[in-house]
Amino acid sequence: MAHSRRSAPLLVLLAAACCCMLAGRSFEAFASAQARRAALLGGVAGAVAAAVPEESARAVKFSVFGFGDGASDAYSQQDNKPYSPYSQFSGGDEKENLYKPYSDLFMNKKRVIVSESAKRLAKLKPSIEAKAGEEVKMELTRQMGALKQAMNYLVEGNSKGKEVNEAFQGDLEQLGVYGKQKKWDEAMETYEKAKKELADFMAVQDIKA
């Protein structure tokens, strides 16, 4: 009976030693398999990298909203000469494109805008004389955007009246400043100057009043 009690701990130690040996062998086998897998994947990656042309590797760049040389940015993939303002792709023959910038159709539309704006600008004088700041501000705000765009488009189309266009737009903005500051004498003087500049621009661009 005493002999059985003394041998029990020895059996437990022997069993524990066997378990440790088996666990060590299993870990070594797992580690070897992992090493072989890593080596295999590394070899595949190296082969793929070697197969990619050097030019393609250099072409991979980054850009944001079209700024930069990135090939992955959708904005940088748009053509420089689209066949329409509503498309990012260019057409085949530019002569066959329906949209023709600075054609008579679009230039005449811009001329109409300038002509209508000139009529509205002529009605601004009573508001300046009455020192009605809000009316002056509202009318200038209403006309500034469309008139500026139309005049700039015409200048880009035929390069006529560039200097007088810049002078007129500067005076028109200054008129708004004088109206805001309630400097009505300066506002009237600037208004008369801008009115003459617009008339000169219309004459250069062959725009009828």
Side-chain angles (χ1 to χ4, degrees):
M1 193 71 175
H3 177 71
S4 299
R5 293 195 189 97
R6 286 195 297 270
S7 61
L10 294 176
L11 292 174
V12 172
L13 291 174
L14 181 60
C18 292
C19 290
C20 289
M21 291 176 64
L22 291 174
R25 291 178 180 177
S26 298
F27 178 77
E28 290 178 359
F30 175 77
S32 299
Q34 290 293 95
R36 289 194 298 271
R37 185 177 296 108
L40 178 61
L41 292 177
V44 172
V48 172
V52 176
E54 184 178 355
E55 291 77 6
S56 298
R58 287 199 299 265
V60 178
K61 300 178 182 178
F62 295 94
S63 64
V64 179
F65 297 124
F67 296 95
D69 300 326
S72 61
D73 184 12
Y75 287 89
S76 66
Q77 298 174 13
Q78 296 183 0
D79 291 344
N80 293 329
K81 294 183 179 180
Y83 69 87
S84 164
Y86 310 102
S87 174
Q88 62 177 338
F89 304 109
S90 60
D93 188 355
E94 294 185 2
K95 296 180 180 179
E96 297 180 358
N97 293 341
L98 297 178
Y99 172 71
K100 299 183 186 302
Y102 310 117
S103 63
D104 291 340
L105 174 63
F106 294 104
M107 295 289 279
N108 288 333
K109 286 183 178 180
K110 300 303 180 182
R111 291 187 179 99
V112 170
I113 293 176
V114 175
S115 179
E116 292 299 323
S117 297
K119 295 176 183 178
R120 300 188 67 90
L121 187 64
K123 299 178 181 179
L124 190 60
K125 186 174 182 178
S127 299
I128 298 174
E129 292 175 338
K131 301 179 181 180
E134 288 300 320
E135 292 182 9
V136 173
K137 178 182 177 181
M138 181 177 63
E139 194 61 38
L140 288 176
T141 303
R142 184 184 305 171
Q143 292 300 315
M144 282 285 287
L147 180 57
K148 272 184 168 183
Q149 185 182 22
M151 294 176 72
N152 291 337
Y153 188 91
L154 290 170
V155 171
E156 292 171 1
N158 55 25
S159 302
K160 295 180 180 179
K162 181 179 180 180
E163 294 182 0
V164 69
N165 174 40
E166 293 175 353
F168 167 77
Q169 293 192 23
D171 287 333
L172 205 61
E173 292 179 0
Q174 190 61 47
L175 175 59
V177 173
Y178 285 143
K180 185 177 181 180
Q181 297 174 347
K182 300 185 184 303
K183 296 182 178 180
W184 299 112
D185 292 338
E186 292 85 346
M188 181 61 72
E189 181 180 352
T190 305
Y191 165 78
E192 294 293 344
K193 183 181 177 183
K195 185 178 177 181
K196 181 181 182 304
E197 290 165 345
L198 182 56
D200 293 341
F201 180 84
M202 293 174 64
V204 171
Q205 290 286 344
D206 298 325
I207 302 174
K208 296 180 180 180

